Amino acid sequence: MSVFNNALAQLKKAIQYTSLKPSTLEFLKRPERQLQFSLPITMDDGAEKVFDGFRVQYTSARGPYKGGLRYHPQTNLDEVKALAFWMGIKCAVVNIPLGGGKGGITIDPKKLSQAELERLTRALARKLAPFIGPEQDILAPDVNTNPMMMAWIADEYSRVVGKKVPGVATGKPLEQGGSAGRTEATGQGGLYVLNELAKKLKLTPKKTRIVVQGFGNVGYNFAKLAYQAGYQIIALSDSKGGIYSKTGINMDPDNVMKDKKARGLIGGCYCIGSVCDCKNFTAVTNKQILELPTDILVLAALENQITTANVGRIKAKVVFEMANGPTTPEADEKLAKRKIIVVPDVLANAGGVTVSYFELVQNIQQYYWTEKEVNEKLKPIMVKAFNDIWNKAGELKVPLRVAAFVLAVDRIGKAIEARGKF
Ligand code: NAD
């Protein structure tokens, strides 16, 4: 199954609720530009190898293309096209003036040394140089790419164009023009959305149980901030399994992180320093954690976690998608039938791209904000995006995901039509 066909199916579903012209739909069904590169590099042992690189610039109707760069053995043009489309949707959901793009290299980065990865990333930046820039297309980290690589890209691009241009990539280290608050941004944005949802559902944090799957950048920061806001964290997990508070005792994610660092895994006991409680807490498998009784199930690990195989056993009242694509389209329909609310990825995790946009703005104006200022600007954007989508879902009587796509497609389509005839 083509991932891009899934994206097109979502587009078609959304467009029926808009008054956009058929020609606008035809335009939106295709990326504006697809780039494919051969990337020859010399390996550390002197061998010469050639890798395949891609960049899809899907829509620039609302602003320059924006999106991450993925290094993965399965990366291909079809996947990159879908991801570029979804980036356009996400930026339109939070109503920031950016379009959608995505790139990647078909590669297992674990098989390359740091020096080889640097040569490859710089080779890609040189090939991309005529097509990217703060006013054209802005790159960012994604699966297996990181702030260091963004610094390489900004540096190589700056050498090619002969001036310092940090705004060609976001998610950079602070010392190279990164933004304060970027590391926590996705979790922070998710918490602002959760707080709004709690108001609608009349949930009080103290009585709201949360299970979090995934304990990386997004899962850990989300869990930490939700705990600090008073929500009850009753289960946490990473790729090796998780911990569940059988009796509903709240867990401080910082204690779990310290224990994970000390022992290399999230164990079955809850330890505060060297004092461990193994009576009220138990180990859970990756399969079990998704099926625990809870108010909110936060998915912050990988795609395709709720499928037709386990959707019938989900007991959460709300599925909160902090990861990208954690629910398959078939499972999504079944959750809707069971009246389980799904807060879609394009809204829940959009705090990340929003602070990337702030990073671009700070780079362009050469004036940097404190973390407090960043969060003060992030909050109203997330709150408005949630309420726009909630109201649209109520008006059309559709799930939040459909409402998010309707709003986003309508915004992108109207921007296309506002330019006049093709
Ligand atoms: P990460 O690599 O830092 O963390 C991933 C976590 O998931 C790790 O703790 C890993 O152990 C865990 N994991 C892997 N398989 C698991 C399994 N089967 N069960 C439980 N846990 C498992 O990645 P991240 O940056 O936190 O990204 C997580 C998701 O959020 C991805 O889908 C990513 O695309 C999405 N996302 C990230 C950002 C961001 O700013 N980092 C922004 C938007 C969306």
Side-chain angles (χ1 to χ4, degrees):
M1 179 67 173
S2 148
V3 200
F4 185 59
N5 281 347
N6 283 348
L8 286 184
Q10 291 171 325
L11 172 65
K12 283 183 196 150
K13 201 185 233 179
I15 206 133
Q16 61 181 307
Y17 294 103
T18 71
S19 54
L20 298 171
K21 295 192 296 190
S23 53
T24 306
L25 171 64
E26 280 310 307
F27 188 48
L28 279 173
K29 271 163 52 183
R30 297 161 174 80
E32 289 174 11
R33 185 189 269 154
Q34 311 183 55
L35 301 161
Q36 189 160 356
F37 304 102
S38 64
L39 301 167
I41 61 159
T42 305
M43 309 300 279
D44 292 347
D45 64 2
E48 291 171 339
K49 280 200 178 170
V50 186
F51 297 92
D52 292 315
F54 309 95
R55 185 78 186 165
V56 172
Q57 299 181 324
Y58 204 97
T59 169
S60 62
R62 293 171 37 85
Y65 308 104
K66 175 86 187 86
L69 191 60
R70 177 172 290 201
Y71 287 1
H72 197 272
Q74 265 92 51
T75 291
N76 58 55
L77 192 57
D78 179 80
E79 179 196 60
V80 175
K81 244 167 34 176
L83 293 167
F85 169 75
W86 285 321
M87 277 308 298
I89 294 290
K90 202 180 289 189
C91 292
V93 158
V94 279
N95 214 359
I96 53 177
L98 293 171
K102 201 85 177 191
I105 302 181
T106 313
I107 189 186
D108 181 353
K110 293 184 192 91
K111 294 193 176 144
L112 269 74
S113 70
Q114 180 85 344
E116 288 165 342
L117 280 173
E118 179 165 355
R119 285 199 289 280
L120 184 62
T121 304
R122 286 183 182 273
L124 178 67
R126 285 192 299 275
K127 286 259 163 108
L128 277 173
F131 307 100
I132 60 176
E135 292 166 341
Q136 262 176 293
D137 185 0
I138 305 112
L139 280 60
D142 189 64
V143 175
N144 291 327
T145 54
N146 56 37
M148 170 94 261
M149 292 170 180
M150 296 307 113
W152 293 338
I153 287 171
D155 182 55
E156 195 65 26
Y157 177 81
S158 298
R159 288 183 200 201
V160 172
V161 298
K163 56 188 175 184
K164 181 92 176 163
V165 192
V168 69
T170 60
K172 300 179 295 293
L174 272 180
E175 301 75 9
Q176 277 298 324
S179 175
R182 176 63 188 90
T183 309
E184 297 80 13
T186 308
Q188 184 68 67
L191 180 68
Y192 292 141
V193 170
L194 177 64
N195 285 338
E196 291 307 297
L197 178 77
K199 281 187 211 161
K200 299 285 181 203
L201 302 182
K202 303 198 171 20
L203 299 172
T204 51
K206 266 195 162 164
K207 289 189 185 150
T208 305
R209 296 160 302 162
I210 299 189
V211 167
V212 184
Q213 182 211 34
F215 206 50
N217 173 286
V218 175
Y220 164 68
N221 281 301
F222 180 88
K224 182 183 76 174
L225 293 164
Y227 173 83
Q228 287 166 0
Y231 291 95
Q232 306 297 301
I233 309 295
I234 59 157
L236 293 165
S237 73
D238 69 6
S239 58
K240 294 181 188 152
I243 181 171
Y244 171 44
S245 166
K246 283 185 288 188
T247 50
I249 299 173
N250 198 6
M251 269 185 281
D252 181 346
D254 270 332
N255 288 330
V256 178
M257 182 56 93
K258 278 182 203 144
D259 192 42
K260 176 180 150 120
K261 281 192 178 144
R263 291 194 291 154
L265 80 171
I266 298 181
C269 304
Y270 179 55
C271 304
I272 302 175
S274 56
V275 182
C276 291
D277 179 349
C278 306
K279 227 170 76 189
N280 292 299
F281 296 85
T282 186
V284 276
T285 64
N286 286 337
K287 190 170 166 288
Q288 286 167 331
I289 193 159
L290 298 175
E291 300 168 13
L292 292 173
T294 181
D295 298 300
I296 317 273
L297 171 61
V298 177
L299 303 172
L302 304 169
E303 59 276 15
N304 298 337
Q305 294 303 295
I306 301 188
T307 65
T308 46
N310 62 1
V311 67
R313 294 191 296 277
I314 301 299
K315 296 182 194 73
K317 295 182 189 124
V318 174
V319 169
F320 203 88
E321 295 185 337
M322 291 301 291
N324 282 315
T327 312
T328 65
E330 300 78 22
D332 201 28
E333 286 189 4
K334 294 218 158 83
L335 289 171
K337 278 196 189 120
R338 291 187 53 206
K339 305 260 180 280
I340 295 175
I341 295 175
V342 178
V343 180
D345 46 9
V346 288
L347 166 66
N349 70 31
V353 75
T354 304
V355 175
S356 280
Y357 162 58
F358 294 165
E359 183 174 331
L360 170 71
V361 171
Q362 292 170 82
N363 291 157
I364 292 170
Q365 65 182 10
Q366 293 254 44
Y367 179 69
Y368 288 82
W369 309 333
T370 62
E371 185 167 346
K372 186 166 169 280
E373 287 172 302
V374 166
N375 287 335
E376 279 168 3
K377 291 178 169 65
L378 174 63
K379 185 174 175 182
I381 290 180
M382 300 306 296
V383 168
K384 178 159 184 351
F386 172 84
N387 284 293
D388 285 352
I389 291 168
W390 183 269
N391 294 339
K392 185 57 85 181
E395 180 195 318
L396 301 177
K397 301 199 174 18
V398 294
L400 293 175
R401 190 190 313 278
V402 177
F405 271 76
V406 172
L407 267 177
V409 168
D410 194 50
R411 283 176 184 155
I412 299 170
K414 285 207 171 113
I416 292 170
E417 293 179 3
R419 291 193 296 215
K421 274 194 155 320
F422 290 163

